[in-house]
Amino acid sequence: MNTNDILQTRRDAAEAYMRKITEPLWRAGEDILCTQEKDTPPEKAKSAFAIKAGRVYRGVLYSYAGGTAESFFAYADETDKKGIPVIRGLRWDAVSGGSVSARVGTDCSGSVVRSWAAAGADVPLVSTLLMCPDNGFLHVGEFSASFDHVSSEEIRANAPEVMYDAYALLQKADAVVCRKNASGHTRLVIGVHVVHNADGSIDPAASYAETLEQTRGFIRREHKSFDEKLGEDVYDICGNVKYTFANLYETGYMPITCRAFTDPAPIPAPAVTDTLDTYDGASLFAGEIRANRLIDAVIMTISDAAGNQLCRMAVPAMRNRKSFDMQLFPTEKRSHVIGQMDADALPSGRYHCRLVCRLSGDINVTVRDFDFVK
């Protein structure tokens, strides 16, 4: 495979995963009230948004968890008569609060980083402020901006023509990011259309970048459209929107990419290690799981001697983690996990334990696979 094919394959993989976040439809099986305010129940928050039972939504639910499509759609316990997954059992505190407390759903930077990670890119899952070269988010084009943080003011300090030339260099799976004061946003680029004036300069009003984005804006405005095939409204959480170069410059967006999309050097294969090397019934929740990529969730199952599954629990990892403490199985909040793992309640007998670590991009690695006697 030549260099262009290698890089294009990676970009295709990132776009495909972003579509897994932004495009799927789901139906709310129950009401959920959410907020991004820390340590605050939604009903007491200054700012909250409501998911209403019965509505159809487009895109993974917004939260600061920086999670994946897989962890979100694990809450789909059935599909309705129209074939739409129905989300139930998702507690407000799993999708609310800051990046430390939320476990399910994702935000703008989380969706971009998880999409890049699905293509093998190794960049941290950070806020828009830190999507800068010092953290592996590389500038696209020649313009003046800091390497240790993102600043929309710095982008707008460049001449407009400088930034238009930079936007014209964007390719599929690159991104644009802005940051002003304490607020920021990022979008994944899926295509660029460049129009030139008669003198060869770029026409910023006619040129545009097509993007996929995850944003609170749509859901707060209850942005919706009628789907004739479904015969009902679809409420947007994510969107496919075109932004002109003029708009990108006026709002201070910086074009970025990552090494995986510019350097065809081989990407290390997914690897997961365990701090334990021997197992028994007493060590089910001992040790630490470590990976060379962002962890999505760790799933444990226990079966009896006949192969019948008795217990299963999936525990999402905290945002931006490549390690997982096994003590989270007995200590994590019940609202943050799916299933149960009441190993102490098992009667005496012979059992089998299987532990799987799911990485970004829906890569599942079996870490532990052993028999034990209780």
Side-chain angles (χ1 to χ4, degrees):
M1 187 179 292
N2 62 40
T3 295
N4 288 337
D5 289 342
I6 292 171
L7 299 180
Q8 191 59 52
T9 297
R10 295 174 185 174
R11 290 178 181 274
D12 288 345
E15 180 197 17
Y17 194 82
M18 188 66 168
R19 291 187 183 277
K20 289 182 68 174
I21 291 175
T22 60
E23 293 184 347
L25 303 182
W26 55 278
R27 190 180 300 278
E30 52 203 0
D31 292 341
I32 309 174
L33 189 63
C34 312
T35 182
Q36 273 68 64
E37 294 181 24
K38 297 179 180 178
D39 306 318
T40 306
E43 60 271 16
K44 295 183 179 180
K46 296 179 181 178
S47 176
F49 59 86
I51 298 297
K52 298 183 179 180
R55 285 183 176 177
V56 175
Y57 292 89
R58 177 182 287 108
V60 170
L61 188 57
Y62 189 96
S63 87
Y64 287 156
T68 67
E70 289 74 29
S71 282
F72 178 73
F73 282 102
Y75 285 88
D77 59 357
E78 65 171 344
T79 56
D80 65 15
K81 60 183 180 181
K82 297 180 181 179
I84 300 173
V86 180
I87 299 291
R88 290 192 181 92
L90 186 55
R91 289 277 304 275
W92 70 267
D93 49 346
V95 293
S96 293
S99 59
V100 173
S101 57
R103 291 292 184 276
V104 182
T106 194
D107 56 358
C108 62
S109 59
S111 62
V112 169
V113 171
R114 288 289 187 180
S115 298
W116 285 6
D122 185 13
V123 290
L125 212 165
V126 293
S127 70
T128 51
L129 176 66
L130 300 176
M131 296 179 77
C132 53
D134 283 358
N135 289 323
F137 300 85
L138 310 179
H139 292 166
V140 173
E142 298 293 332
F143 53 86
S144 178
S146 298
F147 274 51
D148 63 353
H149 71 282
V150 176
S151 167
S152 291
E153 289 84 353
E154 290 181 357
I155 294 303
R156 294 197 63 205
N158 288 272
E161 294 75 18
V162 170
M163 295 312 304
Y164 301 156
D165 287 341
Y167 299 144
L169 296 174
L170 286 164
Q171 299 180 59
K172 178 197 292 188
D174 291 337
V176 290
V177 59
C178 72
R179 185 80 182 198
K180 185 176 182 180
N181 300 323
S183 180
H185 188 47
T186 185
R187 302 158 175 154
L188 190 85
V189 174
I190 59 173
V192 173
H193 179 70
V194 182
V195 177
H196 291 91
N197 295 310
D199 63 0
S201 63
I202 291 175
D203 182 343
S207 301
Y208 63 83
E210 183 177 2
T211 70
L212 298 174
E213 61 181 323
Q214 160 72 289
T215 173
R216 282 176 295 184
F218 296 137
I219 194 169
R220 283 177 168 172
R221 298 193 304 270
E222 294 200 329
H223 185 275
K224 64 182 180 179
S225 59
F226 186 77
D227 188 306
E228 294 186 0
K229 183 178 180 181
L230 295 177
E232 59 183 306
D233 289 326
V234 173
Y235 289 78
D236 294 317
I237 298 174
C238 303
N240 178 340
V241 185
K242 297 175 182 177
Y243 295 94
T244 67
F245 287 8
N247 176 271
L248 292 174
Y249 176 72
E250 290 165 3
T251 48
Y253 275 86
M254 180 172 75
I256 56 174
T257 190
C258 62
R259 181 181 176 184
F261 301 153
T262 60
D263 182 353
I267 294 174
V272 180
T273 59
D274 189 348
T275 57
L276 296 188
D277 54 14
T278 58
Y279 314 108
D280 56 30
S283 65
L284 289 175
F285 310 131
E288 184 178 73
I289 307 304
R290 299 169 182 171
N292 65 345
R293 297 191 182 186
L294 291 171
I295 296 175
D296 172 16
V298 177
I299 304 107
M300 180 184 289
T301 56
I302 293 180
S303 305
D304 63 18
N308 301 304
Q309 183 174 291
L310 305 177
C311 305
R312 183 183 189 277
M313 180 183 280
V315 184
M318 292 178 63
R319 185 184 182 106
N320 198 34
R321 295 301 175 93
K322 292 183 178 179
S323 64
F324 181 92
D325 186 345
M326 289 296 295
Q327 271 295 303
L328 286 171
F329 275 93
T331 63
E332 183 64 285
K333 293 173 65 174
R334 289 294 306 161
S335 58
H336 288 173
V337 306
I338 296 180
Q340 55 83 31
M341 188 50 61
D342 193 5
D344 291 339
L346 294 173
S348 298
R350 188 174 184 84
Y351 300 95
H352 185 82
C353 176
R354 186 168 186 258
L355 189 74
V356 174
C357 180
R358 187 170 66 219
L359 306 177
S360 285
D362 198 18
I363 298 171
N364 293 272
V365 180
T366 299
V367 187
R368 300 179 182 180
D369 203 19
F370 65 97
D371 294 322
F372 67 95
V373 176
K374 182 172 185 279

